[in-house]
Amino acid sequence: MKQWLFIICTISLFACKKNGGEVAISKLVVLNDSASALSARIKFTLNRLTDASISITDQSTGETKRTAISKEKINHNITVTQLKENTTYSFRVHVPVGGAGDEWSSVEQSFTTARIPAFVKAFYDPAVNTLNESEGSHFLFNNRGTPRGCIYMIDHKGRMVWYRTTKNPLKVVRLTNKNTLLCLEDENNTPYGDGNVIMELSLGGDTLFYVKQNTKDFTRSAHHDLCRNHRGNIVAVTNVIKSGGSIPGDGLLELDRNGKKVWEWTTFDSPDAAETGIHNQPWINSVVQDSDNNYIVSLRSFSQVWKIRASDGVIMWKLGKGGNVEMNAADEFMFQHYAHRNPAGDLMLFDNGSAERPLSRLMSFSIDEQQKKATTKIKTVLPSSLYSNIMGSSMLLPDQNLLTASSTNSKFVKTDAAGTVLWSIKVAEPFYRAEFVGNPFANL
C-alpha cells in the first residue's frame, strides 16, 4: 500500500531582516511510500532564490544527519536516503542568510516511513548476509521475479540501505555516471531478458525518462541491457527480425531525451556482422560505451565481444573464438556476459562456460586495437559450485579482488585472484548481475 505523507506549511516564517531579510516557506510536502520506504523526497517552496538543506533526526535514536545543499532554487526537491522502515523522523529546513555563515531554520516537522513489503524482504534477507567491506562501499542488484521487480542496494555491512519496487517485472538495472538508474521493465511477462518499458529514475524516486514500446521511436522490443551515452541519451539492445521472422538478429537503438531515434545499428548492417551457418539470435547481453564513445557489446551465441564504431556502425574488432583479435586459444571464452572496461582499462567479462567445460571464469584482456592483439590479464577459475551456465557478471574491485554474480546459484561472491571465496551473498532466486557502485549517496 502506498503511503504518501503531505505536510503543508502555509504560514510564513521569518529570519531577522539584518541577516538578509525575511524567509518564507510554503507548500512543504514529504513523499515516502512502501515502493521505497528507505528514502524520502521533501519538497518546499521558498520566497526567494537561495540554497537550502535539511537536517533530519531519527526520533528513536536521536541520530541527526544533514543533506547536501540544494543550490539556488525557489522550488526545492531534496532527497533523504538511508532511512529505516516504520520509523518516525523529525526535520527542519535550513536556509543561509547574510554572509557570516548564519542560517534560518524552519519549525520542526515530522513523518513516519512506510514498511518494506514482504516480497522485498523475502528476496534479500540481511540477517543471513553480512559483509565487512570498506565504509562507503555499496552493491547493486535486482529481483527479476513476477509480478513486480525490485532494485536493491546494500552497504559495506550487507544492510539493505535503499530499494525501489517496480510496477512490472524488472529485467535489468544500471547505475549511470549521473547516479541515476536505467531500468528495463516488462509489461508482457516475456521470457528471458525482453522488456517493453525503458525508464530512468533518480535515487529520490523521480522519473527522469520514460518510453514504452510502440510509442515515439521505440519501435522494437529491448532486451538484456542498456546504457546512458556521452550525450545523455539512452542506448538499448533491441530485437531485430529479418526475412519474415526467419532470421533473428540484434541491434542498438539510441533514443534522445524525448524518445526520438538518434542512431541505430543492427547485426544485419555490415557484411562482416553476418555469421555464415549461424541462424540463432546473436543474443547481445551487454552494452557499454567505451572511452572513445564507441560501443562494446557481448554476443553470447557467438562467444565473442565486438566493438562497434558509433559514427558508421563498422565493427572495429571481434574478440573471441573465430574473431579477428589474436588471443591465446586457451583463454577463449564461452557464452560470456557483462563485457566492460574495468578500472585498469582492460576488457573484462564473465566467462560462463558450458556443458563442454562446466566451469565459469573471470577474464580480462588488454587489447591493442591497432594490432588487434589481446593479452590476458586476469584468468580466475571459480569453484565448480559457482558454475553459472547463463547470466552472470564479474568486476574488478578497488582492492583488486573480484566481484562475481553466480546467477543460477542465486548468489554473488567476492574472491581473490586465485578464486578463493572471501564472502558470499545469497538471494532467494536466480538474478541477472551484481555491481559494485561505490557510494552513490555521497552527494545527497
Side-chain angles (χ1 to χ4, degrees), residues 15-21 23 48 50 95-104:
C16 297
K17 290 187 177 180
K18 68 178 182 179
N19 286 330
V23 178
R48 63 188 186 192
T50 185
V95 175
V97 290
D102 295 331
E103 66 178 14
W104 167 87

Side-chain angles (χ1 to χ4, degrees), residues 203-227:
L203 292 174
D206 294 299
T207 300
L208 308 175
F209 178 87
Y210 179 94
V211 66
K212 185 175 177 178
Q213 186 184 354
N214 297 324
T215 65
K216 302 182 179 179
D217 285 343
F218 182 24
T219 56
R220 308 181 193 273
S221 64
H223 69 93
H224 282 93
D225 209 7
L226 66 176
C227 69

Side-chain angles (χ1 to χ4, degrees), residues 347-376:
L347 180 75
M348 191 162 187
L349 54 84
F350 181 78
D351 175 12
N352 290 79
S354 71
E356 178 184 337
R357 192 250 294 155
L359 288 173
S360 296
R361 304 185 299 183
L362 318 181
M363 308 289 296
S364 78
F365 305 90
S366 173
I367 300 178
D368 183 331
E369 296 192 343
Q370 297 300 317
Q371 299 298 321
K372 291 188 169 59
K373 184 174 182 178
T375 302
T376 303

Side-chain angles (χ1 to χ4, degrees), residues 87-162:
T87 299
T88 299
Y89 291 88
S90 60
F91 70 95
R92 295 179 187 269
V93 176
H94 304 282
V95 175
V97 290
D102 295 331
E103 66 178 14
W104 167 87
S105 299
S106 71
V107 298
E108 186 175 271
Q109 304 282 357
S110 65
F111 67 96
T112 300
T113 55
R115 294 182 182 273
I116 300 173
F119 87 93
V120 173
K121 293 180 175 181
F123 184 77
Y124 177 75
D125 183 0
V128 298
N129 290 296
T130 57
L131 300 179
N132 188 23
E133 284 294 307
S134 301
E135 188 170 358
S137 299
H138 293 82
F139 301 89
L140 171 72
F141 55 97
N142 71 280
N143 173 8
R144 303 180 85 199
T146 58
R148 301 168 66 194
C150 183
I151 310 165
Y152 296 81
M153 283 195 205
I154 62 174
D155 71 1
H156 63 291
K157 295 291 187 182
R159 298 171 295 203
M160 189 196 313
V161 294
W162 188 93

Side-chain angles (χ1 to χ4, degrees), residues 274-280 302:
E275 298 291 324
T276 303
I278 294 181
H279 298 287
N280 295 323
F302 298 168

